[in-house]
Amino acid sequence: DAKTTQPPSMDCAEGRAANLPCNHSTISGNEYVYWYRQIHSQGPQYIIHGLKNNETNEMASLIITEDRKSSTLILPHATLRDTAVYYCIVRVRLSGSARQLTFGSGTQLTVLP
Amino acid sequence: NAGVTQTPKFRILKIGQSMTLQCTQDMNHNYMYWYRQDPGMGLKLIYYSVGAGITDKGEVPNGYNVSRSTTEDFPLRLELAAPSQTSVYFCASSYSQGPEQYFGPGTRLTVT
């Protein structure tokens, strides 16, 4: 199973872009990369996912390197409410289309005023 | 839509007691999951279900049981509670082909 490596913590100034890196050097060719976040003791929240191309939605952008061994989640204008633990995840296939989210320890992002 | 709801929010059990954690979703999702999260750690999958009447083990199923008699409900049963089951339990659901799992607010369980 592909594993991910993230820095344990990062700080970011409010209003600036937050760039969260993730290494997934053992990812297979057909595995997607997912990002979730968990705001203090709440249930995790989906942010974005991607396979090869860069992706953008209303929450964030995802940049995946050409060799797919790493990716970066970008929060373009971080706010205090973005303070959370961010998880980079490669899903593990279960039966049928069910997928297990394999959570590591994540990156604690603290947005500073 | 209420999304995924879980009850209770908090519970303290004595060693050897049993309880059922309730999970309900109103999004008509086929897939449902139970995860546990120990302090400072990521989530680990306990059981999952791909539809009513179908359940299967995840990464850490020992000490737990599940059932799925309806699309909406996916209760998790703890038999003979042990201190090692002290954790926060999250239920999630998803569309069969969708990328996103929707999580409930969690149940914080302490076994003493």
Side-chain angles (χ1 to χ4, degrees), chain A residues 34 36 38 41-46 49 87 91 94-105, chain B residues 31 33 35 37 40-43 45 48 50 56 59 90 96-101 103-105 108:
Chain A
Y34 293 79
Y36 278 71
Q38 188 173 24
S41 300
Q42 297 179 19
Q45 176 190 23
Y46 166 84
H49 74 287
Y87 295 100
R91 291 203 308 186
L94 299 169
S95 65
S97 299
R99 298 289 185 271
Q100 170 180 339
L101 297 177
T102 303
F103 287 77
S105 298
Chain B
Y31 294 172
Y33 310 81
Y35 293 86
Q37 184 174 32
M41 307 293 287
L43 281 69
L45 183 68
Y48 69 99
V50 299
D56 207 344
E59 189 179 354
F90 290 102
S96 57
Q97 300 297 334
E100 179 177 357
Q101 290 186 17
F103 284 81
R108 187 174 299 273

Side-chain angles (χ1 to χ4, degrees), chain A residues 45-82:
Chain A
Q45 176 190 23
Y46 166 84
I47 302 172
I48 199 167
H49 74 287
L51 181 64
K52 294 180 184 178
N53 300 322
N54 299 338
E55 302 287 345
T56 295
N57 63 20
E58 64 278 5
M59 288 183 68
S61 295
L62 176 61
I63 308 298
I64 302 174
T65 58
E66 192 169 342
D67 62 9
R68 296 201 346 108
K69 292 186 177 181
S70 65
S71 61
T72 300
L73 178 75
I74 301 171
L75 307 179
H77 304 288
T79 71
L80 299 178
R81 287 177 294 180
D82 292 322

Side-chain angles (χ1 to χ4, degrees), chain B residues 7-81:
Chain B
T7 57
K9 286 186 169 56
F10 303 94
R11 184 71 186 269
I12 299 174
L13 281 182
K14 294 188 184 304
I15 295 172
Q17 288 185 323
S18 301
M19 76 165 293
T20 298
L21 282 67
Q22 301 292 343
C23 175
T24 299
Q25 53 91 10
D26 62 0
M27 296 173 283
N28 202 32
H29 288 166
N30 280 349
Y31 294 172
M32 295 188 75
Y33 310 81
W34 274 106
Y35 293 86
R36 60 176 285 174
Q37 184 174 32
D38 298 332
M41 307 293 287
L43 281 69
K44 293 185 184 294
L45 183 68
I46 306 171
Y47 271 95
Y48 69 99
S49 169
V50 299
I54 306 170
T55 63
D56 207 344
K57 296 177 181 179
E59 189 179 354
V60 289
N62 291 345
Y64 307 94
N65 277 300
V66 293
S67 59
R68 183 100 182 268
S69 57
T70 67
T71 298
E72 294 78 19
D73 299 308
F74 190 39
L76 178 71
R77 177 80 176 164
L78 277 72
E79 305 281 3
L80 299 175

